[in-house]
Amino acid sequence: MSLFRTKNLDTMVADARTPGGLKKVLGPTDLILMGIGAIVGTGIFVLTGTGAVTAGPALTLSFIIAAIACGFAALCYAEFASSVPVAGSIYTYSYVTLGEIVAWMIGWDLLLEYGLATSTVAVGWSGYFQSLLEGFGMVLPEALRAAPGAKPGVDTVFNLPAFLIMMVLTWMLSLGVRESARVNNVMVLIKTGVVLLFIFVGVGYVKPDNWQPFMPFGMGSVMSAAALVFFAFIGFDAVTSAAEEVKNPSKDLPIGIIGSLGICTVLYVIVAAIMTGIVPFMNFKGVDHPVSLALKYAGQDWVAGFVDLAAILGMSTVMLVMAYGQTRILYAMSRDGLLPAKLSTVHPKYGTPYFATWMVGIIFGLIAAVVPLDVLAELVNIGTLAAFSLVSLAVIILRKKRPDLHRAFRCPGVPVVPALAIIFCLALMSFLSWHTWVAFVVWLAIGLAVYFGYARSRSKLNAQ
C-alpha cells in the first residue's frame, strides 16, 4: 500500500507558505495573459491548416469539441487550484488524492509533455523566424537551419534559431517570474491584437460557398481533427503551476484558468470560420502558415506580414509558459524527494528554481535543435489528455475524502462534469495513432523503472 500513500493536504499547503520559497507576485490579469500566452501560438497559426484539410469547414466544430473537453477539465482544475494552492499542477493534486505512484507517473508524463511541447514550438518558431530573416535578405547556412534529416536531400546539422530562442527564454525565466510575466503580457497583447486585426479584415472576404459541404468527410474526420487541434488548447493547465506565486490563489487561479480558455475558444472558432470561408479548405494542404495564406488570398499582404510577426511572438509566449510550467513541476517533485534536491533549490536573489530552469532550457533546447518536428510532436496530446482525465477523477475522489475542505471555487455538477471530462478526453485519445500510444507506454515504462530504482526509497513520505 506504500505505492498509494498520499501527502497530507494541510501539511502541503503549510509547507508552501514557508519563508524562503517562491515569491508571490502574480495577479488575475497576469494569469489570464499567461494562459492566453500558452494557448495562442502553434495551434492557431499552424495547426488550423492541417485541421481544415482533415475536417473541412467543420473545423469550427472540431475546435468546439476540443474546447468542451478542455472546459470540463478546466472546471476541475479550477476547484483543485483554488483548494490546493501548491506548485506542481496535476502532479500535486494526484499526490493528495490518488497516491504517490499515480502522482509520480503523471508528473513523469508532464515533464515529457511540457518539454516536448516547448521543443516542438521552438522548431516552428525557427521556421517563421527564418522566413522573416529571408524577407530582409538574410539566410543562415544550410547546416544551421534545421535538425539532421529534417530536410530530405539537404545536409542540415543543427537548428540554431530553435536553440537560441530556448536559451533567451530560459535566461528570462531564471531572472524571475514577475519579469517573465511582464514580457509575456506585452507579447500576448500584441499577438491578440493581430488576431483581432485578421478577424476584422478577413470577415469582409468570406465566401459562404466555401463552407459547403460543411462536413465533407463525416463526423469521424471532425473527431480526428478535434484530437489534432486539441494541441491548440494545451497551456491553460500550466497556469496552475503558478499556484505558489499567486497573491490570492483561491480567487485568482480559477479566473486565470477559465478566463484564458474562454477567450481563446472564441478566437479559435471565429478564425477557423473566416479562414475556411476565404480559402477552399483543400488549398491548406501542406501549408504551415494558414492564417497568412488566407490574407494573401484576400489580397491583404500587408496584414499577412503582421500575422507572421504575431506568430513569432505567439510561439515565444507558448515556449515561455510551458517551460515555466515544467520547471515548477520539477520543483514540486524534487521538494517531495522524488527527484534530486538540487532541482528545488531557489535562487536567493531571483526567487526562482535557477538550476532546474537552466537544466530544462538546455536539454530541450538541444532536443529542438537536433530532432525533427514530426518526431517531437507525437506524445504531447496524449500526455495532456491523460493528465486531464486524472485531474477530473481526483476531484471526485477528494470530494469524498475531504468534504470539509474549503473550496473557494467548486466545480459544478460533480460527479457528472468530471465524468464528462474523462469521457471526452478518452474519446479524443482513441483517435490518436497507434504509434503515439506505443511511444507513450514506453515512456511510462521508463518512468516506472526510475520510480522503483530511485524515487520510491527517497520519497520524503518514505521516512515518515
Side-chain angles (χ1 to χ4, degrees), residues 235-314:
F236 78 83
D237 56 317
V239 172
T240 62
S241 300
E244 285 185 41
E245 293 157 283
V246 178
K247 298 173 184 175
N248 187 1
S250 62
K251 175 184 176 183
D252 297 346
L253 280 169
I255 293 174
I257 294 167
I258 298 170
S260 60
L261 181 61
I263 291 170
C264 292
T265 299
V266 172
L267 290 177
Y268 280 178
V269 171
I270 295 174
V271 168
I274 291 175
M275 278 175 44
T276 54
I278 296 175
V279 182
F281 68 90
M282 286 308 297
N283 289 2
F284 287 112
K285 189 171 184 178
V287 174
D288 59 4
H289 54 286
V291 179
S292 57
L293 175 69
L295 288 167
K296 290 175 182 176
Y297 257 74
Q300 300 294 322
D301 288 2
W302 68 277
V303 185
F306 281 111
V307 168
D308 288 341
L309 178 60
I312 291 174
L313 293 176

Side-chain angles (χ1 to χ4, degrees), residues 120-463:
T120 302
V121 177
V123 176
W125 184 95
S126 175
Y128 269 95
F129 181 71
Q130 290 183 58
S131 176
L132 186 65
L133 288 180
E134 289 169 6
F136 291 98
M138 295 181 284
V139 179
L140 292 173
E142 285 292 345
L144 301 178
R145 298 187 65 180
K151 296 183 177 182
V154 181
D155 294 328
T156 51
V157 177
F158 192 84
N159 194 327
L160 183 62
F163 179 76
L164 291 180
I165 187 60
M166 285 290 291
M167 293 303 97
V168 170
L169 296 176
T170 299
W171 170 72
M172 287 171 51
L173 284 172
S174 70
L175 294 183
V177 66
R178 174 72 268 174
E179 291 74 14
S180 301
R182 286 172 180 161
V183 174
N184 175 74
N185 293 353
V186 172
M187 291 194 290
V188 166
L189 291 173
I190 293 173
K191 72 178 179 181
T192 304
V194 173
V195 171
L196 293 175
L197 178 64
F198 166 80
I199 292 171
F200 289 128
V201 172
V203 71
Y205 295 90
V206 168
K207 298 177 181 178
D209 289 345
N210 288 333
W211 290 332
Q212 301 298 327
F214 180 71
M215 197 182 298
F217 308 119
M219 193 62 194
S221 66
V222 173
M223 291 299 295
S224 295
L228 171 71
V229 300
F230 182 83
F231 184 93
F233 290 99
I234 291 173
F236 78 83
D237 56 317
V239 172
T240 62
S241 300
E244 285 185 41
E245 293 157 283
V246 178
K247 298 173 184 175
N248 187 1
S250 62
K251 175 184 176 183
D252 297 346
L253 280 169
I255 293 174
I257 294 167
I258 298 170
S260 60
L261 181 61
I263 291 170
C264 292
T265 299
V266 172
L267 290 177
Y268 280 178
V269 171
I270 295 174
V271 168
I274 291 175
M275 278 175 44
T276 54
I278 296 175
V279 182
F281 68 90
M282 286 308 297
N283 289 2
F284 287 112
K285 189 171 184 178
V287 174
D288 59 4
H289 54 286
V291 179
S292 57
L293 175 69
L295 288 167
K296 290 175 182 176
Y297 257 74
Q300 300 294 322
D301 288 2
W302 68 277
V303 185
F306 281 111
V307 168
D308 288 341
L309 178 60
I312 291 174
L313 293 176
M315 293 180 189
S316 298
T317 61
V318 171
M319 288 184 282
L320 186 71
V321 178
M322 298 302 278
Y324 167 84
Q326 187 185 37
T327 59
R328 270 43 180 187
I329 291 170
L330 273 173
Y331 173 84
M333 296 177 74
S334 170
R335 188 171 58 185
D336 293 333
L338 300 178
L339 290 173
K342 183 71 173 175
L343 296 172
S344 56
T345 303
V346 176
H347 194 283
K349 178 180 178 182
Y350 304 127
T352 61
Y354 198 81
F355 177 80
T357 300
W358 276 104
M359 187 189 78
V360 164
I362 292 172
I363 290 175
F364 287 97
L366 289 172
I367 289 175
V370 300
V371 181
L373 181 64
D374 57 343
V375 178
L376 283 173
E378 289 185 350
L379 288 174
V380 179
N381 280 7
I382 195 168
T384 307
L385 287 163
F388 287 4
S389 299
L390 270 177
V391 79
S392 303
L393 176 62
V395 163
I396 298 173
I397 293 174
L398 196 61
R399 282 283 186 100
K400 294 288 185 181
K401 291 178 67 174
R402 287 293 303 273
D404 60 309
L405 181 67
H406 172 68
R407 293 168 171 85
F409 177 89
R410 296 178 68 89
C411 174
V414 175
V416 175
V417 168
L420 287 172
I422 295 170
I423 291 169
F424 269 85
C425 289
L426 292 178
L428 290 176
M429 289 172 75
S430 71
F431 282 89
L432 295 172
S433 63
W434 67 268
H435 57 79
T436 299
W437 277 92
V438 171
F440 182 59
V441 171
V442 169
W443 176 250
L444 294 184
I446 295 172
L448 279 174
V450 175
Y451 176 74
F452 286 106
Y454 176 90
R456 185 183 182 190
S457 61
R458 291 170 173 80
S459 167
K460 290 187 176 179
L461 284 187
N462 193 55

Side-chain angles (χ1 to χ4, degrees), residues 88-110:
S89 187
I90 178 57
Y91 158 76
T92 297
Y93 309 154
S94 298
Y95 214 155
V96 299
T97 54
L98 303 175
E100 185 175 277
I101 182 65
V102 179
W104 164 266
M105 293 307 294
I106 201 62
W108 183 257
D109 166 37
L110 289 176

